[in-house]
Amino acid sequence: MITAIVLIKADVHRIPEVAEAIAEIDGVSEVYSVTGGVDLIALVRVRRHEELADVIPNRVNRVPGVQSSDTHIAFHTYSRHDLEAAFSLGL
């Protein structure tokens, strides 16, 4: 599974609608409204790199109200949840 973190600048007057539209896109697992230099952060999870080319530029970036995006592809996931699960299994 490939995870991409997409930082999105959106029309400030349309943030809730933009977030909801992005959340409906296949491959988008979560969308967060955030403070700071961007308005939304979307987590995209796909099986192949080629799918990112469809999900992000062809679908996320074309949602009305999206002004720009910056994509970061994750190399490895570190999660407290994952660590706790491993210890509960005796690893």
Side-chain angles (χ1 to χ4, degrees):
M1 186 68 61
I2 299 160
T3 300
I5 299 95
V6 186
L7 310 177
I8 301 164
K9 289 190 180 184
D11 178 343
V12 70
H13 301 291
R14 301 180 69 186
I15 290 172
E17 295 84 7
V18 172
E20 289 174 10
I22 292 170
E24 293 296 320
I25 296 171
D26 287 338
V28 175
S29 63
E30 301 163 66
V31 179
Y32 297 93
S33 175
V34 298
T35 62
V38 297
D39 302 300
L40 301 168
I41 296 177
L43 297 182
V44 175
R45 293 188 170 96
V46 295
R47 295 197 180 278
R48 298 173 314 154
H49 280 96
E50 296 80 15
E51 293 176 73
L52 292 174
D54 177 49
V55 174
I56 298 166
N58 292 336
R59 301 184 71 204
V60 170
N61 287 349
R62 293 184 181 176
V63 168
V66 170
Q67 296 175 339
S68 65
S69 70
D70 185 20
T71 301
H72 301 263
I73 298 173
F75 292 126
H76 186 78
T77 302
Y78 299 91
S79 166
R80 180 181 177 140
H81 179 274
D82 293 340
L83 292 174
E84 288 173 356
F87 284 114
S88 72
L89 294 173
L91 300 176

